[in-house]
Amino acid sequence: MLFHVRMDVRLPHDLPQEEAVEIIAREKAYSQELQRSGKWRHIWRIAGEYANYSVFDVKDNTELHEILSGLPLFKFMHIEVAPLLRHPSSIRGDDT
């Protein structure tokens, strides 16, 4: 199943710098591992914001929830999820 996910990161202003750097490094490694596996298919930064639009290709809602809740920055995020289906007018038959 494909899911469109918007993630907005809201780091607390009083979070110690060294802790923020460490969490962000773990987040990058985790997200890149998921990208290599094909589960995190696309990630796009939203200009001017600490946010992204992403597309996930996972088995079901449960797997998506497990992936998102495993993000090191999860507790600092506001996340919106929308399931995606192929549009009947799409000319691309190979992207399910």
Side-chain angles (χ1 to χ4, degrees):
M1 293 182 71
L2 296 177
F3 291 90
H4 175 269
V5 180
R6 178 179 171 136
M7 293 178 246
D8 292 87
V9 180
R10 299 177 180 142
L11 291 176
H13 296 295
D14 60 349
L15 184 68
Q17 179 67 23
E18 58 277 356
E19 186 176 342
V21 167
E22 188 271 330
I23 294 170
I24 291 167
R26 285 191 295 119
E27 180 85 10
K28 182 176 181 177
Y30 181 69
S31 72
Q32 289 179 345
E33 174 186 325
L34 288 164
Q35 290 173 67
R36 282 189 283 279
S37 78
K39 292 182 184 293
W40 196 326
R41 205 186 267 186
H42 298 281
I43 182 169
W44 297 93
R45 170 154 285 158
I46 301 171
E49 300 181 36
Y50 194 176
N52 72 75
Y53 287 123
S54 292
V55 174
F56 287 84
D57 188 357
V58 294
K59 181 176 68 174
D60 55 25
N61 296 342
T62 300
E63 184 178 18
L64 179 65
H65 179 75
E66 289 170 359
I67 287 170
L68 295 177
S69 62
L71 291 165
L73 287 170
F74 179 75
K75 65 183 177 180
F76 304 119
M77 290 182 170
H78 173 78
I79 299 174
E80 295 177 9
V81 176
L84 299 173
L85 300 169
R86 267 185 43 75
H87 195 282
S89 298
S90 175
I91 63 169
R92 298 185 188 269
D94 62 340
D95 194 21
T96 57

